[in-house]
Amino acid sequence: MDLTPETILILLALAAFVAGFIDSIAGGGGLITVPALILAGFPPVVALGTNKLQSVFGSGSATWAYASKGHVDLKSQGPTFLASAIASAVGAWTATQVSPDWLRMVLPVMMIAIGLYFLLKPNLTD
């Protein structure tokens, strides 16, 4: 099916709004944005990078909001921030080192596995 660039843009915007809504409630919006970007023809590394950039802004604004209300002590989060920054850099580098064809093959399997994990995981707050 041939879609016009305008239609693709509208569908990607719709996917972004749905993913943002899901992220605001429970997280996991990347399970929508990454496949949508790949289906729109973006290379896997670009889809992953775009998703990660939007999640940085979402997580950053949530952290700022919680910290400004006293719910999060930013100073105590330094080691966690450092570990996640290092792991993100290693993951980004790794994604650029593997074949895009391999990523196209593995990403759907990983996305399904992650979706199933969140669907079936036990409630850890009880």
Side-chain angles (χ1 to χ4, degrees):
M1 168 174 36
D2 287 330
L3 300 175
T4 66
E6 293 81 12
T7 303
I8 293 171
L9 183 63
I10 290 169
L11 291 172
L12 285 174
L14 179 63
F17 283 117
V18 171
F21 178 74
I22 289 172
D23 259 345
S24 70
I25 294 172
L31 293 172
I32 294 172
T33 57
V34 171
L37 290 166
I38 290 173
L39 287 172
F42 287 87
V45 171
V46 173
L48 290 170
T50 301
N51 179 65
K52 187 50 59 185
L53 181 63
Q54 66 88 23
S55 74
V56 164
F57 283 102
S59 298
S61 64
T63 300
W64 185 268
Y66 280 111
S68 68
K69 295 185 191 243
H71 300 296
V72 175
D73 176 22
L74 292 180
K75 291 180 183 176
S76 69
Q77 300 303 311
T80 304
F81 172 79
L82 182 61
S84 65
I86 291 169
S88 293
V90 170
W93 177 82
T94 303
T96 64
Q97 300 304 306
V98 298
S99 161
D101 292 330
W102 184 82
L103 274 177
R104 274 191 187 87
M105 186 176 60
V106 170
L107 273 176
V109 174
M110 290 176 63
M111 301 298 283
I112 291 168
I114 292 167
L116 287 173
Y117 169 77
F118 282 108
L119 180 67
L120 302 174
K121 75 176 183 171
N123 187 354
L124 300 176
T125 60
D126 288 341

